[in-house]
Amino acid sequence: MGWANGEVWTNNVFAYNLSIACNHCVHPKCAGVCPTDAYIHRADGIIYIDPDKCMGCGYCSWACPYNAPRYNPELGQMSKCNFCFDNIDAGLPPSCVAACPMRVLNFVEVK
C-alpha cells in the first residue's frame, strides 16, 4: 500500500514515529558516569555536553539507555542533542521541530 492519489494525497498505511534522540532525563545516567563532569544541567531541564571538558571516553554512551551520546571522531569527543538551547534562548523552536515537514514534532515544557 502506501500513498493513494485521488483528489488529494492520503496515507492509507498506519505508521508512527519513535524518536530515539536524547530525552534530557531528570536523572540522566550518562551524566552520572562522566569522569570529567562534562554534562551541564540547565535550570530548564536541557542537558548538554561541555566540549571543553569532554575527553571522548564513551562512558556516557554505554550508560545511556537510549544510546543518545555518540562519539564524534573528528572532534575526539562525545556529542548529543543539546535541544538547540541557543534557539530556545532566542525564543525559537529546536531545529528538528522547525524542519519537520509533516509537523509531527513539537515541544512543550513539562512541569
Side-chain angles (χ1 to χ4, degrees), residues 21-86:
C22 180
N23 288 302
H24 298 273
C25 304
V26 173
H27 302 290
K29 300 297 182 195
C30 56
V33 300
C34 181
T36 62
D37 292 325
Y39 279 78
I40 308 298
H41 261 198
R42 288 176 34 134
D44 59 5
I46 295 173
I47 300 164
Y48 68 96
I49 300 172
D50 181 347
D52 294 331
K53 292 183 179 179
C54 180
M55 66 180 188
C57 66
Y59 290 162
C60 56
S61 182
W62 299 336
C64 175
Y66 307 104
N67 199 26
R70 301 293 178 127
Y71 182 71
N72 183 331
E74 292 176 10
L75 298 175
Q77 297 176 321
M78 302 305 289
S79 64
K80 68 171 216 56
C81 168
N82 66 7
F83 211 65
C84 297
F85 65 81
D86 51 340

Side-chain angles (χ1 to χ4, degrees), residues 8-29:
V8 296
W9 288 94
T10 58
N11 183 356
N12 61 2
V13 174
F14 174 77
Y16 63 92
N17 295 299
L18 173 64
S19 173
I20 55 172
C22 180
N23 288 302
H24 298 273
C25 304
V26 173
H27 302 290
K29 300 297 182 195

